[in-house]
Amino acid sequence: MSPTEAPTADTAPFDVRVLTLFPEMFPGPLGASLAGKALMDRVWTLKTVDIRDFAGDKHGTVDDSPFGGGAGMVMRPDVIDRALSATHPGPGSGRLVYLTPRGRVLDQPLVRELAAEPGLTVLCGRYEGVDQRVLEAWAPEEISLGDFVLSGGEAAAMALLDAVIRLLPGVVGKTESLEAESFETGLLEHPHYTRPQVWAGRSVPEVLLSGHHARIVDWRRAMSEDTTRWRRPDLWDRYLAAQKQEQEGRKEQP
């Protein structure tokens, strides 16, 4: 099914399970705009799991002080294990993801991979994180939003899920909107303009008013390349390497 097709009654929704100490934070922003409409239309489903429900005492204790000393608390492996055992369906149901600064940095290729799954189970850490032993036992895919620290995994989970959900079939109306976005071609997106044609003494570039489709495509490509070169040298280097590899691959073809 293409991204422009609406889901049918026979299409299984993208099944999301979020394990968190703060289930009241969801769906939050995911309940609005495109993701919210898709949730209402059952393009995707959301189940929030309160990790405290799996604590082993009447106080709902989910954390303890770290062995070896140090500041902060660590989420207990036995509690996390019980929560995952009760809620993660296992193989064939989609990946298990743990949001952590130690993880692979989220990028658009990974977002596309996750969107191709039947669903996701997302574990949101708090405090100093989760006991390493339960991570070794369950081997979740560890993902980070970048080189900074949040108060917990919930905000990161919302960002990840928003990126994934908008790629699900039927969520975004026009396929072109997805294909032209930043990172889809390895480049940042070109500048955008709309009415009025002249604003605060600034005019829209003439090429965008020309009606010449090929010239507009060339201009947008050039702007994407210039923007990427100056703003994200790391992306630009990767883009050049990919272009070189592609050219060499063509030369090797008989």
Side-chain angles (χ1 to χ4, degrees):
M1 185 167 60
S2 74
T4 57
E5 290 178 312
T8 66
D10 297 329
T11 303
F14 187 82
D15 190 16
V16 175
R17 298 158 294 276
V18 178
L19 284 70
T20 171
L21 294 179
F22 299 95
E24 66 275 10
M25 294 179 68
F26 293 86
L30 299 174
S33 190
L34 293 175
K37 184 178 185 303
L39 182 61
M40 290 181 60
D41 293 340
R42 288 188 59 78
V43 175
W44 68 290
T45 60
L46 174 64
K47 178 181 180 181
T48 53
V49 178
D50 190 343
I51 295 173
R52 290 191 188 279
D53 290 343
F54 299 90
D57 62 3
K58 63 181 180 180
H59 302 293
T61 304
V62 298
D63 61 319
D64 211 325
S65 55
F67 283 114
M73 304 291 278
V74 178
M75 296 181 73
R76 293 174 54 117
D78 52 344
V79 177
I80 298 297
D81 180 68
R82 285 194 290 268
L84 286 171
S85 296
T87 57
H88 182 51
S93 63
R95 300 190 199 181
L96 170 60
V97 169
Y98 170 52
L99 282 312
T100 169
R102 302 190 315 175
R104 168 185 171 182
V105 176
L106 183 67
D107 56 18
Q108 198 63 18
L110 178 53
V111 170
R112 287 196 296 270
E113 286 182 27
L114 297 176
E117 297 281 336
L120 287 176
T121 299
V122 182
L123 173 61
C124 300
R126 279 272 161 175
Y127 315 121
E128 296 303 309
V130 172
D131 188 295
Q132 180 64 27
R133 292 168 295 179
V134 77
L135 298 178
E136 293 170 357
W138 282 87
E141 185 159 2
E142 299 189 26
I143 295 177
S144 169
L145 291 194
D147 298 337
F148 56 92
V149 179
L150 298 169
S151 298
E154 288 77 13
M158 290 178 194
L160 179 147
L161 290 171
D162 182 83
V164 169
I165 290 163
R166 64 193 308 279
L167 295 187
L168 299 179
V171 176
V172 174
K174 294 184 178 180
T175 307
E176 294 86 350
S177 298
L178 298 175
E179 294 172 348
E181 290 178 330
S182 292
F183 311 114
E184 287 296 336
T185 61
L187 297 170
L188 297 177
E189 200 169 359
H190 57 78
H192 293 277
Y193 300 86
T194 187
R195 293 181 178 82
Q197 184 174 328
V198 178
W199 174 80
R202 301 170 185 267
S203 299
V204 174
E206 285 296 326
V207 65
L208 300 180
L209 307 174
S210 68
H212 195 296
H213 181 69
R215 286 182 57 204
I216 292 172
V217 169
D218 289 344
W219 179 88
R220 286 175 170 168
R221 182 75 176 193
M223 290 298 100
S224 288
E225 291 179 347
D226 285 347
T227 301
T228 306
R229 184 186 300 112
W230 292 110
R231 297 191 181 190
R232 290 290 302 275
D234 58 323
L235 284 181
W236 180 246
D237 289 343
R238 273 187 275 170
Y239 172 74
L240 291 179
Q243 293 290 100
K244 181 179 180 181
Q245 185 176 11
E246 184 177 340
Q247 291 171 1
E248 291 175 349
R250 290 199 192 105
K251 291 178 182 178
E252 293 175 359
Q253 291 179 357

